[in-house]
Amino acid sequence: MLQVIDIVIIPISSPIKIGLYKDGKLFEEITSDEMTSDFLPSFFDEILQKYEIKNIIYSNGPGSYMSIKLTYIFLKTLEITKNITILAQDGFYFNQNSPIKAIGNRYFVKENDTITIKEAKPTEKFELPKILEYSDFSKDVSPIYILNAV
């Protein structure tokens, strides 16, 4: 019988960060500079042979829209085919509410639960939580899209 774990994925910037959790406690951290489309399939191919995954939590934005979209589609596929629960939280949860790179010298900023874009001092450093507080995560896993159409 495979060990049951949870996974946290932060795909909104480079490198991608992934945490493996047993009983809600971080036991392994993985980072990759690979493209999301290359990394996720090989990562999950390996992980699904070693572990049974109960929950996957991911940062659903804002940040790299292509990476967020790819991650969302990949995780929804796993949810359907492997009966894995998917949960989400915005990227500010993983970087102590620091600005997140948007475009040029503009950053996503979260103030009073509202995300806007403005010039800001780049301080983003994403960290995986050491212990999972499941109540912090949402079943609404849709990507967060902030940028207006050009």
Side-chain angles (χ1 to χ4, degrees):
M1 184 162 173
L2 298 176
Q3 186 177 28
V4 178
I5 66 166
D6 296 316
I7 295 176
V8 173
I9 303 173
I10 306 174
I12 59 178
S13 70
S14 187
I16 296 169
K17 286 192 169 202
I18 295 181
L20 305 182
Y21 294 78
K22 173 71 176 148
D23 299 323
K25 295 177 185 161
L26 180 66
F27 72 88
E28 186 174 351
E29 185 172 328
I30 299 148
T31 59
S32 176
D33 289 314
E34 289 182 69
M35 300 289 288
T36 303
S37 58
D38 295 332
F39 178 70
L40 286 182
S42 61
F43 169 77
F44 276 99
D45 185 45
E46 181 180 321
I47 288 299
L48 286 167
Q49 292 177 38
K50 292 182 182 178
Y51 301 105
E52 178 183 333
I53 303 169
K54 183 176 180 184
N55 300 295
I56 300 175
I57 300 161
Y58 89 111
S59 174
N60 60 341
S64 169
Y65 287 139
M66 185 58 72
S67 185
I68 294 166
K69 288 180 203 178
L70 287 166
T71 302
Y72 172 75
I73 292 167
F74 192 90
L75 296 181
K76 288 301 282 184
T77 302
L78 285 177
E79 180 181 54
I80 293 165
T81 62
K82 301 288 187 184
N83 198 30
I84 297 170
T85 300
I86 307 300
L87 302 168
Q89 181 55 270
D90 70 44
F92 299 103
Y93 179 88
F94 300 102
N95 76 352
Q96 297 75 47
N97 201 38
S98 296
I100 297 172
K101 181 77 169 151
I103 189 166
N105 63 346
R106 308 205 28 104
Y107 289 79
F108 298 107
V109 178
K110 186 175 182 181
E111 299 168 322
N112 301 320
D113 289 329
T114 301
I115 300 172
T116 59
I117 299 173
K118 60 176 153 181
E119 288 186 22
K121 192 172 197 168
T123 58
E124 69 183 48
K125 181 176 173 161
F126 295 97
E127 297 292 332
L128 293 160
K130 301 295 181 210
I131 297 176
L132 294 178
E133 295 292 335
Y134 295 96
S135 61
D136 290 348
F137 306 108
S138 173
K139 290 184 179 188
D140 178 5
V141 299
S142 299
I144 299 172
Y145 299 114
I146 305 297
L147 291 176
N148 294 328
V150 178

